Amino acid sequence: MELALIGLGKMGLNMAKRLTKGGHRVIGYARTKETVDGAVKEGVEGAYSLEEAVGNLTSSPKAVWVMVPAGATTTETIQKVAALLKPGDIIIDGGNSNYKDTIKHAEMLEAMGIDFVDCGTSGGIWGLTEGYSLMIGGKEEVTRKLSPIFETLAPGKELGWGRVGPHGAGHYVKMVHNGIEYGMMQAFAEGFGILKNKKEFGLDLAQVSHIWQHGSVVRSWLLDLAANALDEDTELKDIKPWVADSGEGRWTVFESIDLDVPAPVITLALQMRFASRDEENYPARMLAALRNQFGGHAIKKAE
């Protein structure tokens, strides 16, 4: 098959390379010439405008994969691409869009006769070699048309991908997937933090991580990545304790509230990411001040 891939960030480029290696024709477009030039050096066919990317597709229906930041950028890109397509052509949103936006995009494109698929995509920078987990929302017949693409991107022909429901379902499942990821990451971070602070045992955290990789109930890909990080630097001294969130964890917490489903682990994991960014940490200062006021407890003065 052939498709235009809009967005050549690390993940988009790796997806384009995996598809190209799998025998598909990929026309890659990004906003900057330098990014496109870099993709061309990696073996991807380049385009320097949306018009060129879509216009160079020869098959019918045309398929365009959008892989850009969620929100206004995705909406704007989908609108621009749709204006270049004909009824029956297909747009795939492989980014991390909010599922509510995805449903709106599907309705907008349906009115134009353009088919739409939302594809929650997991795999990060490792997807090039390991394959991607693909959670797909949309019509069954459209998913079938695109199955050669999904089979190539996934870890195996029948592994790691599938249509999970109608428009919006793919991004919804990916949203909850990322919420679970928040909780798992936080648990590992806290566990290794406790191990590190048991000073009298002198634990080798890298050794512990490798022991857990085999036979342990907590063995996982996240543990493998933790082991990689600890092998590089057990103290993690060159890493600032500042953790971003890309939105899906927040959306998962909002959904838990809307659906009256308790999700304390995911919620607290999200809150801990917020805490990591608070260099001033005013709430902790207030706690110290209150303890001093009612109990005369000592206060450590800021340097």
Side-chain angles (χ1 to χ4, degrees):
M1 287 187 68
E2 65 171 11
L3 82 161
L5 198 152
I6 312 303
L8 294 171
K10 289 182 179 179
M11 194 164 179
L13 177 58
N14 280 346
M15 291 172 64
K17 289 164 63 176
R18 187 174 176 90
L19 288 169
T20 299
K21 186 177 180 181
H24 302 280
R25 180 185 178 220
V26 179
I27 304 170
Y29 165 74
R31 288 181 297 173
T32 66
K33 180 180 183 299
E34 292 76 16
T35 301
V36 177
D37 288 343
V40 171
K41 291 179 181 178
E42 297 281 356
V44 178
E45 185 176 340
Y48 294 89
S49 68
L50 283 175
E51 291 78 7
E52 182 183 358
V54 175
N56 284 353
L57 293 172
T58 60
S59 61
S60 183
K62 292 183 176 182
V64 180
W65 189 300
V66 175
M67 201 70 181
V68 299
T73 301
T74 292
T75 299
E76 181 181 346
T77 303
I78 288 176
Q79 290 172 338
K80 289 181 177 179
V81 169
L84 301 171
L85 297 177
K86 297 179 180 179
D89 290 338
I90 306 169
I91 294 178
I92 308 113
D93 178 5
N96 285 324
S97 294
N98 187 300
Y99 80 96
K100 296 177 181 178
D101 291 339
T102 296
I103 293 172
K104 293 177 182 177
H105 295 156
E107 292 171 348
M108 174 188 71
L109 293 173
E110 186 172 12
M112 302 171 67
I114 296 172
D115 287 318
F116 180 68
V117 166
D118 53 291
C119 182
T121 308
S122 179
I125 60 175
W126 294 86
L128 175 60
T129 55
E130 302 294 325
Y132 297 90
S133 175
L134 307 171
M135 299 142 265
I136 301 161
K139 298 177 181 177
E140 290 186 20
E141 59 269 26
V142 179
T143 302
R144 282 195 297 270
K145 290 179 185 177
L146 298 169
S147 60
I149 297 294
F150 299 138
E151 290 171 357
T152 301
L153 288 172
K157 187 174 181 179
E158 298 179 359
L159 295 174
W161 75 278
R163 177 186 177 272
V164 297
H167 295 125
H171 283 152
Y172 190 86
V173 172
K174 176 58 164 49
M175 174 191 74
V176 176
H177 163 283
N178 281 27
I180 294 170
E181 179 185 283
Y182 277 38
M184 293 174 67
M185 291 172 68
Q186 185 65 31
F188 276 121
E190 292 175 7
F192 280 106
I194 294 169
L195 293 174
K196 184 179 185 301
N197 281 279
K198 193 65 174 176
K199 304 296 185 183
E200 62 265 38
F201 285 165
L203 298 170
D204 182 337
L205 301 191
Q207 179 199 26
V208 172
S209 69
H210 288 298
I211 292 172
W212 286 354
Q213 283 179 298
H214 305 281
S216 165
V217 173
V218 299
R219 64 188 185 274
S220 64
W221 186 48
L222 282 176
L223 177 60
D224 294 341
L225 297 178
N228 290 345
L230 291 169
D231 283 340
E232 293 174 5
D233 177 13
T234 304
E235 296 298 317
L236 304 179
K237 55 183 178 296
D238 293 329
I239 300 176
K240 185 177 180 180
W242 192 101
V243 187
D245 72 286
S246 55
E248 298 93 329
R250 299 182 187 218
W251 302 338
T252 304
V253 171
F254 296 158
E255 282 296 306
S256 75
I257 295 170
D258 289 344
L259 298 173
D260 295 328
V261 177
V265 172
I266 296 173
T267 302
L268 288 174
L270 175 65
Q271 295 293 326
M272 288 305 295
R273 294 197 178 196
F274 297 158
S276 76
R277 305 171 210 166
D278 186 4
E279 294 184 2
E280 180 181 339
N281 204 345
Y282 186 84
R285 295 170 190 256
M286 177 59 75
L287 284 173
L290 287 171
R291 291 185 78 244
N292 175 259
Q293 289 291 324
F294 72 73
H297 301 285
I299 293 177
K300 292 184 177 181
K301 296 295 184 179
E303 297 180 359

